Amino acid sequence: MTSSDLRPRPDGAAVRRLLRDGVLTVDGRLVEASNTTLRGTLTLDGVSAHCVYKPIRGERPLWDFPDGTLADREVAAYLVAEALGGELVPPTVLRDGPFGTGSCQWWIDEPDGAAPLVGFVAADAVPPGWFPIAAARDDDGTAYTLAHADDPRLARLAVFDAVVNNADRKGGHVLVGPDDRIYGVDHGVTFHVEEKLRTVLWGWAGRTLPADLVAALAVLADRLDADLGEQVAHHLTLGEVAALRARVDRLRSTGRFPLPPRDGPVFPWPPI
């Protein structure tokens, strides 16, 4: 049995058990990642699946995030995404591995030929139903536009990013799974107490939140006051948990997608 036999559903007990208890072997390294990011294979009771393993010892120090905390933030992001609904983040756990403790996340195989929902397109050829976000030119001076689809799955991901204060929502961190779900990955720089939202998903900025997202935020707020608050407190500081609650409350109060900050960067680099 392979990973294709177990759908990456966040409520799947079998998936979480495999992530948590499976024998983890490393297959190779994803060399484009800034921190040590390894592709691995998990095996348990005759079942095998691929995963992304990010050992804490491979995290590069950041000036604005405490050392050795990125793996915990990956797990906290999954817990919040699960409560928000929509299966936005592949199941993720904190566990031991060949290079020590780190985050372990279900691998998402994008189907061959899957059309991206975020990217640079020719300035005069923005697809219908897409939001133009920023203008750009290549070395030859050709004009391009950074844009993304007006897709309710992306809208939910944009709300999730605002909730977790995601400082690095690149277009390449948005995956389309074989089950036609949208997944956000790479959430190590999240949950800062200062406003650091940097994203390519600004298309809905300032617009009214759809009713389903308003309802999802209400559920998330209730969960934070109950079991979820205790769960994320194992991975974040008390100040970061308080800031998380405040961001949820602010989104519910305004009822709108957040606006880009007036000072400081609004896009990650590189954006894709």
Side-chain angles (χ1 to χ4, degrees):
M1 186 179 291
T2 66
S3 59
S4 62
D5 296 306
L6 286 175
R7 293 299 182 187
R9 301 180 66 85
D11 60 351
V15 169
R16 290 193 295 269
R17 181 168 175 264
L18 184 57
L19 286 168
R20 184 182 63 248
D21 301 328
V23 176
L24 172 56
T25 57
V26 173
D27 303 326
R29 180 173 181 176
L30 305 182
V31 296
E32 294 183 356
S34 56
N35 297 293
T36 300
T37 302
L38 306 170
R39 174 172 162 135
T41 298
L42 297 160
T43 304
L44 182 68
D45 297 334
V47 176
S48 295
H50 294 304
C51 67
V52 178
Y53 166 49
K54 298 182 180 181
I56 292 174
R57 68 173 63 177
E59 296 177 4
R60 296 174 58 185
L62 299 172
W63 69 270
D64 53 349
F65 282 82
D67 293 348
T69 66
L70 305 192
D72 276 291
R73 297 174 193 279
E74 293 266 13
V75 178
Y78 164 65
L79 294 172
V80 171
E82 184 183 34
L84 189 63
E87 301 183 7
L88 297 171
V89 176
T92 311
V93 303
L94 193 71
R95 59 160 291 166
D96 194 25
F99 298 101
T101 301
S103 64
C104 184
Q105 185 173 86
W106 192 259
W107 179 274
I108 299 298
D109 279 312
E110 291 193 281
D112 292 338
L117 297 175
V118 185
F120 284 102
V121 297
D124 59 354
V126 177
W130 281 46
F131 292 118
I133 304 301
R137 291 184 181 273
D138 64 12
D139 293 340
D140 297 325
T142 303
Y144 288 89
T145 298
L146 177 62
H148 68 76
D150 182 4
D151 188 303
R153 299 170 298 175
L154 286 182
R156 184 174 289 259
L157 188 60
V159 169
F160 164 77
D161 286 337
V163 166
V164 302
N165 199 17
N166 191 355
D168 196 33
R169 174 58 72 208
K170 295 180 172 68
H173 295 169
V174 180
L175 306 180
V176 181
D179 45 13
D180 201 35
R181 294 191 181 97
I182 298 298
Y183 295 94
V185 298
D186 210 349
H187 300 116
V189 285
T190 48
F191 296 105
H192 203 287
V193 294
E194 300 175 3
E195 293 298 324
K196 289 184 176 290
L197 181 59
R198 293 191 288 270
T199 175
V200 295
L201 301 179
W202 286 117
W204 300 275
R207 297 193 180 200
T208 301
L209 291 170
D212 64 318
L213 294 183
V214 172
L217 287 168
V219 171
L220 177 58
D222 289 341
R223 288 283 305 277
L224 282 171
D225 289 335
D227 59 318
L228 180 61
E230 296 179 2
Q231 292 172 15
V232 296
H234 290 293
H235 303 283
L236 306 173
T237 67
L238 293 178
E240 288 165 345
V241 175
L244 167 62
R245 294 175 186 270
R247 288 190 296 271
V248 174
D249 290 343
R250 184 167 64 247
L251 283 167
R252 297 183 67 198
S253 176
T254 64
R256 295 182 178 276
F257 289 90
L259 293 167
R262 294 183 178 180
D263 54 347
V266 301
F267 298 113
W269 187 260
I272 302 298

